[in-house]
Amino acid sequence: MPDTNEIISDFRIILSDFNGREYSGPVEHDTLFMQDIGFSSIDVVILGETLETYYKSDISFGDFINEMSRQNVQDVPVGALAEYLAKTL
């Protein structure tokens, strides 16, 4: 079961070749998926599918996104997703 820091390291690997794009900027706990990495809403959906494949696990990504919406979070920090995954994987 990976911890938050390991998951953030995994994000760096995943984002280095994500959906036909290469992201090489910083990926830290407070990095925002939309503002900093340049994700669109469809990228978020694709990320959920990618994470399930990467971790070979049903991670209930939709539940995470719904919770962020209930909290009125407009742009998800990498660390928030990493913490969620560390609890659910």
Side-chain angles (χ1 to χ4, degrees), residues 22-89:
E22 186 176 315
Y23 178 76
S24 59
V27 179
E28 304 299 334
H29 198 272
D30 60 346
T31 302
L32 299 172
F33 278 102
M34 293 181 153
Q35 180 180 334
D36 298 328
I37 298 174
F39 268 30
S40 65
S41 56
I42 191 65
D43 291 324
V44 174
V45 172
I46 294 168
L47 177 63
E49 295 169 355
T50 301
L51 292 172
E52 287 188 343
T53 300
Y54 187 86
Y55 290 112
K56 298 174 178 69
S57 176
D58 178 15
I59 58 170
S60 302
F61 191 73
D63 291 345
F64 171 75
I65 295 300
N66 288 337
E67 180 59 29
M68 291 292 102
S69 293
R70 279 191 292 277
Q71 294 178 20
N72 208 23
V73 173
Q74 300 298 314
D75 197 348
V76 177
V78 166
L81 180 53
E83 289 168 8
Y84 173 78
L85 291 174
K87 292 176 192 172
T88 60
L89 288 175

Side-chain angles (χ1 to χ4, degrees), residues 11-18 21-28 36-37:
F11 286 163
R12 291 182 189 110
I13 294 166
I14 292 166
L15 293 172
S16 69
D17 183 20
F18 179 76
R21 292 190 319 250
E22 186 176 315
Y23 178 76
S24 59
V27 179
E28 304 299 334
D36 298 328
I37 298 174

